[in-house]
Each structure stands twice: as C-alpha cells, then as structure tokens.
C-alpha cells in the first residue's frame, strides 16, 4: 500500500530537505502534496525542482484544504500558528501528522495535545535518529557511570547561532540529570574562568564553541578515575532531521490516534508522549 505524504512549508529549508528525503525513501512512500503559505512567491513551482532533485510533478499550492484528500500523513515544519491550523484540518479529515515545528507556547502545546486525541501525531523538537539514539545511550551511561564520574557536555555550532548552550545540549543534560535524580537547574555550570576551585562531583558542565559552518556537534564526557567514556553526535546536514521525520511518517501511518515522539518511533518507549511519566519526557 502506498502511503501518500504531504509537506507543509515545502519551500522552506526543511521542506526542501523533506521532499528529497521522501524521494530517497521510495518504496511505500510517495509525495502527493506540497503546501506553502498563501503569500509565498513560490506557489505554482515544482516541489522536486525546488529541492534540487529535479521535477517530480508535485506543484506547490497555497492551501492545505485544496489537497488534504490526497494525503495520508502530513509532515509539517512551518511556524506554530500554521501548524495549529493544519492540526485542526487534519483532525477533521483523519489525516496523521508528523510535526517538527518548534517554539510553541504552553497554551499552543495544550491546544495541540487536545487536537492530537483525534489523530495519530508524532512531534519532536529534534527528529535526528542519531540524536535520539544518543539520548537513549546517555540515560544508560548516566545510570552506570554517573555516580563515579564527572559529566561534561560540549557543543559546537556555526557562527550564526544566537543562543547557547544548544537545545540539544540542554536535552542531553536533562536526560543525564533525570537518570541521576539531579535537578539540572541546580547542578549545571555554564562557564568557568579564574579561581573556580576544585570541581564538585554532582555538577554537570557545559562548554560552547561557535565558528564557521559547523552544523552541530555534541559530546557528553563521563570522566572517572582511570577511564573516560564519550558519547558523540555530529550532524552534517538537514537531511539528518528530514530522514528522521520521513521515518516517523512511515511508522505513524495506520497507528492509533495519540501523541507520539521519536522515542516511540525508535522503539525506546511504548507509551505515547502524553501518558509518560514527566521525568521521561524529552526536552522541548
Ligand atoms: P523556514 O523558514 O526555512 O521554513 C518554514 C516554511 O514554512 C517557510 O517556507 C514558510 O513560508 C512556510 N509557511 C509559513 N506559514 C505557512 C502556512 N500557513 N502554510 C504552509 N507553509 C507555511 O524554516 P525551517 O528552517 O525549515 O524550519 C521550520 C521549523 O522547523 C522551525 O520551527 C524549526 O525550528 C523547525 N525545525 C525542527 C527540526 C526538528 O528536528 N524537529 C529541525 C529543523 C528545524
């Protein structure tokens, strides 16, 4: 059976990568709709051509309602207001959704969770399979090594990034702290200079590097007496997120209506996101 995939934000940075990722997935997945903002100057363009893979005959339209009946799963990487409008339409037409948009307020998140009761939704702030695997490995590493090692988190990004540490570094810190029963707000150390004194075992240190075109590097070090374990992830392109989102779309087709995340897609957790204990939920 072919799973018909639609993309909202099709002309955006992620939208273009998603068009390519759906084409690369091949097999059961087929791109059947590409949607942009009604104000976009790219309405009428060929989505394949925009993404650089060559014409695929899927024309970018300015309204999801126009193409909703051609879609089984919608992949949405846009802006919160657009995503919420799209969830309402998908819920009304029983279309599953993969949501990568970030920046929802608490009220918008609650609205999204209510809408997701009617349809299967997979939402994650980082769809990279590798990052999600690292979060799982970190939980195990923290449980085994955390009590007897000093934990330090290093991250590096391109020179245009305006916030630090990265959201992914903070997620890594949250996972490690939760596994050790520590409160990250209490134990995080975000910079060191001058007479710092000896390191306290319970602290979790963060170090940030900014430069050039680094897409995103993260390393968590567990440094004990006589040995050191390091868990590293390096992203080299947006395809890491796009491939994860397409994998989620494949996994989601035909599931029960609920709110899932990449932990479910990768088989790390059976329980959907909203029914999971709080300390187990991923950082947004
Ligand atoms: P972008 O600005 O390049 O693309 C967003 C696109 O959405 C634009 O082309 C815009 O015109 C379009 N859009 C806006 N309103 C729309 C509407 N009503 N209908 C259809 N299209 C609409 O941004 P981006 O870098 O592609 O990122 C998009 C979102 O995805 C951001 O929230 C970003 O933080 C998030 N993101 C998430 C992950 C993840 O793994 N979860 C990874 C990368 C980016």
């Amino acid at each position: 059976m072919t799973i018909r995939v639609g993309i909202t934000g099709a002309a955006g940075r992620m939208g273009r990568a998603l068009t390519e990722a759906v084409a690369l997935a091949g097999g059961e997945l087929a791109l059947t709709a590409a949607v942009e903002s009604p104000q976009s100057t790219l309405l009428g363009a060929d989505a394949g051509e925009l993404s650089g893979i060559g014409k695929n005959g899927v024309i970018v339209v300015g309204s999801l309602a126009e193409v909703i009946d051609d879609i089984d799963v919608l992949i949405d990487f846009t802006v919160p207001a657009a995503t919420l409008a799209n969830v309402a339409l998908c819920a009304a037409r029983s279309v599953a959704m993969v949501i990568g948009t970030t920046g929802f307020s608490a009220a918008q998140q609650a609205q999204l969770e209510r809408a997701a009761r009617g349809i299967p939704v997979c939402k994650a702030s980082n769809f990279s399979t590798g990052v999600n695997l690292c979060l799982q490995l970190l939980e195990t590493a923290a449980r085994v090594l955390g009590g007897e090692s000093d934990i330090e988190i290093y991250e590096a990004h391109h020179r245009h990034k305006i916030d630090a540490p990265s959201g992914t570094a903070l997620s890594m810190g949250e996972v490690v702290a939760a596994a050790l029963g520590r409160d990250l707000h209490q134990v995080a150390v975000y910079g060191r200079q001058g007479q710092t004194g000896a390191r306290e075992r319970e602290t979790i240190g963060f170090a940030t590097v900014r430069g050039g075109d680094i897409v995103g590097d993260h390393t968590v070090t567990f440094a004990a007496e006589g040995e050191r374990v390091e868990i590293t992830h390096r992203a080299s392109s947006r395809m890491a997120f796009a491939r994860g989102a397409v994998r989620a779309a494949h996994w989601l087709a035909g599931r029960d209506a609920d709110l899932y995340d990449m932990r479910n897609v990768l088989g790390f957790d059976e329980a959907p996101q909203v029914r999971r204990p709080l300390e187990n939920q991923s950082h947004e």
Side-chain angles (χ1 to χ4, degrees):
M1 187 197 81
T2 301
I3 301 165
R4 301 170 306 160
V5 177
I7 296 173
T8 30
R13 284 169 292 214
M14 278 305 300
R16 293 172 197 232
L18 286 160
T19 297
E20 184 179 354
V22 172
L24 288 173
E28 294 174 353
L29 295 175
L31 185 70
T32 50
V35 184
E36 254 300 329
S37 147
Q39 285 84 39
S40 171
T41 53
L42 293 166
L43 301 184
D46 182 285
E49 204 160 46
L50 280 181
S51 81
I53 59 169
K55 279 192 175 167
N56 61 7
V58 181
I59 301 304
V60 178
V61 298
S63 151
L64 178 60
E66 214 178 292
V67 288
I68 188 87
D69 291 333
D70 303 332
I71 302 172
D72 298 312
V73 183
L74 178 69
I75 307 182
D76 185 301
F77 282 63
T78 55
V79 292
T83 301
L84 286 173
N86 293 339
V87 172
L89 187 54
C90 285
R93 300 297 185 92
S94 299
V95 170
M97 271 186 94
V98 172
I99 299 176
T101 307
T102 59
F104 293 93
S105 68
Q108 287 174 323
Q109 175 68 20
Q111 193 182 336
L112 201 141
E113 284 176 17
R114 278 195 301 278
R117 287 191 195 128
I119 50 169
V121 171
C122 181
K123 178 175 176 291
S125 55
N126 191 320
F127 270 100
S128 145
T129 304
V131 160
N132 284 280
L133 171 63
C134 283
L135 291 175
Q136 186 71 11
L137 296 174
L138 284 169
E139 201 174 325
T140 305
R143 292 219 163 97
V144 175
L145 301 166
E148 61 189 45
S149 58
D150 296 323
I151 302 167
E152 295 284 314
I153 301 175
Y154 157 96
E155 61 102 341
H157 283 86
H158 51 86
R159 62 192 308 280
H160 302 291
K161 187 166 175 61
I162 55 169
D163 56 319
S166 69
T168 300
L170 289 171
S171 293
M172 291 175 160
E174 298 272 13
V175 165
V176 167
L180 294 169
R182 298 177 196 167
D183 177 356
L184 187 64
H185 298 294
Q186 303 287 324
V187 298
V189 175
Y190 293 111
R192 298 187 180 99
Q193 190 193 13
Q195 299 298 311
T196 60
R199 189 190 194 287
E200 286 180 36
R201 171 53 47 88
E202 298 268 300
T203 58
I204 297 175
F206 287 82
T208 295
V209 166
R210 293 286 175 264
D213 60 355
I214 303 168
V215 174
D217 291 356
H218 293 88
T219 295
V220 181
T221 299
F222 296 83
E225 291 299 318
E227 64 179 347
R228 193 163 82 231
V229 171
E230 296 184 330
I231 295 175
T232 294
H233 179 268
R234 291 198 180 94
S236 49
S237 91
R238 283 191 183 81
M239 285 304 283
F241 311 118
R243 282 189 300 109
V246 169
R247 180 171 176 165
H250 197 206
W251 180 90
L252 200 59
R255 297 263 157 194
D256 291 341
D258 228 319
L259 182 60
Y260 304 97
D261 62 17
M262 276 305 270
R263 290 178 62 84
N264 300 119
V265 175
L266 299 176
F268 297 148
D269 216 319
E270 291 291 312
Q273 216 177 335
V274 280
R275 287 203 290 276
R276 218 175 282 158
L278 205 58
E279 71 274 11
N280 218 8
Q281 291 189 11
S282 60
H283 179 84
E284 288 288 319

